[in-house]
Amino acid sequence: MTTIETAEASAIPEPSPRARALHEASLVWDAHMDSLMRVLAGEDLGVRTEGQADLVRWREGGVDVQVFAVWVDTVYGRHHAARRALQQIDGFHRLLEANPDRVGLARSAADIARLRGEGKLAAVLAIEGGIAIQNDLALLRTFHRLGATSMTLTHSASLDWADSSTDAARCGGLSAFGREVIREMHRLRMLVDVSHVSDDCIRAVLDLSDAPIIASHSSCKAISNHPRNLSDAMLRTIAAAGGVVGINFYSQFLDQAYNDEMGRRSVDLLAMLNAPPPLDPDALDAYADERIRTFWSLRLPRPPFERILEHIDHAVQVAGIDHVGIGSDLDSGAVPTPVGLDSVSDYPRITEGLLRRGYAEADVAKVLGENFLRVYRAAVG
């Protein structure tokens, strides 16, 4: 952290007794985190680590529900994606088995209430990127049987059945098979997650949906004009269907200046990320891990903490207080975040910031977790 950033962090008010009491009393739900990548790397999340989350700091941050993403890099393609997903699902269950007194699998709203009552972290499993199902509904059903209760349809690249927001369209939103995926997810009572997908894909999903959907980790395009963020029109569209948007804490999605500078500096980085993957399947894991390290290697001055609150404010103003939550996107590496938000331990600062902006305590509780719980109960059970 630079001297300027250290000074900015020290100027952020520490949570007041009122904020800490509200945070402790509220259900705190983080709708997206990539900690399973660290489990695959052999880290023990049962102890305090150098990452952005672990069981020690989830407790310090007052987190009651953590959604663990099973992220599959598009370099794995249709023939190796399921293996990568299963590696992470195995890591997820090993984490639970090693810490049964502190964390448990949640597959329903009732599970979440039970685990919270037991003082445990409710761990929700989510597939990030429909590439993991390898165009096979049997794999979707298998992931569901293993505990997954939601799926983000794409990641950064379009599939042949769903379009991404950061790639060329391939099927006008959803293909015929893509519509089968959505119908099967509804039958299984899996929550459909539209972070990463194109606007046309969101509209196509909603045309098929009789349950609310989520954008688990997306921010506001009106503040930072990144294609991964949601336009005001899409915020309203998701809200009108009863859904929730989780604000992402990655600096490029929060801050326009950071986004612009990343664009100027990342030509060589993008060339590496877009290079053809190795043909040898045994080399894919090391190649994918190196892509992650390279992606997070580009460091810029961090934006102020207030950017998080500004995105929450904007989403609330556009979509309504019942349709906004938190989806941090932390922990897939040293994710660059605003000053003052270094790990999940800092989440009480969000409660303090919202109170200082004049939010009623009941509305703060909605943003912290009640909104996601409502949608999860409606879509999953």
Side-chain angles (χ1 to χ4, degrees), residues 163 165 197-204 221 229-231 234:
D163 290 333
S165 63
V197 308
S198 70
D199 289 2
D200 284 342
C201 187
I202 294 174
R203 285 186 282 262
K221 193 172 285 188
N229 284 343
L230 293 169
S231 67
M234 288 300 103

Side-chain angles (χ1 to χ4, degrees), residues 145-346:
R145 292 184 189 106
L146 293 172
T149 50
S150 69
M151 184 170 72
T152 314
L153 301 182
T154 74
H155 192 252
S156 58
S158 294
L159 307 177
D160 54 9
W161 57 267
D163 290 333
S164 170
S165 63
T166 49
D167 195 9
R170 296 179 62 184
C171 56
L174 281 176
S175 71
F177 177 73
R179 292 191 289 274
E180 286 185 47
V181 171
I182 301 305
R183 284 190 285 266
E184 185 66 358
M185 289 182 70
H186 286 327
R187 189 190 71 81
L188 294 169
R189 301 205 72 176
M190 291 182 72
L191 186 57
V192 179
D193 184 354
V194 295
S195 280
H196 285 287
V197 308
S198 70
D199 289 2
D200 284 342
C201 187
I202 294 174
R203 285 186 282 262
V205 168
L206 289 173
D207 284 344
L208 294 169
S209 297
D210 54 7
I213 66 170
I214 62 168
S216 63
H217 58 302
S218 297
S219 295
C220 303
K221 193 172 285 188
I223 299 176
S224 181
N225 189 23
H226 190 285
R228 263 284 283 112
N229 284 343
L230 293 169
S231 67
D232 287 0
M234 288 300 103
L235 287 170
R236 294 189 189 97
T237 296
I238 293 169
V244 177
V245 174
I247 297 301
N248 190 314
F249 297 165
Y250 173 38
S251 290
Q252 188 172 6
F253 300 159
L254 292 174
D255 187 82
Q256 187 63 55
Y258 196 106
N259 183 29
D260 292 343
E261 188 62 21
M262 277 289 288
R264 283 189 286 270
R265 296 191 185 189
S266 62
V267 174
D268 293 339
L269 177 64
L270 289 173
M272 181 271 177
L273 293 176
N274 292 326
L279 297 177
D280 180 2
D282 293 334
L284 274 175
D285 292 351
Y287 176 76
D289 292 342
E290 179 61 25
R291 279 162 57 91
I292 287 292
R293 285 191 292 271
T294 302
F295 186 80
W296 296 128
S297 67
L298 191 56
R299 293 286 154 178
L300 304 175
R302 298 165 69 187
F305 180 83
E306 290 295 310
R307 289 291 181 274
I308 295 172
L309 304 178
E310 289 167 7
H311 279 261
I312 293 174
D313 265 350
H314 184 82
V316 166
Q317 291 165 14
V318 174
I321 191 62
D322 295 320
H323 305 286
V324 182
I326 292 169
S328 69
D329 206 9
L330 298 185
D331 227 16
S332 60
V335 179
T337 53
V339 174
L341 198 292
D342 297 314
S343 74
V344 294
S345 299
D346 296 317

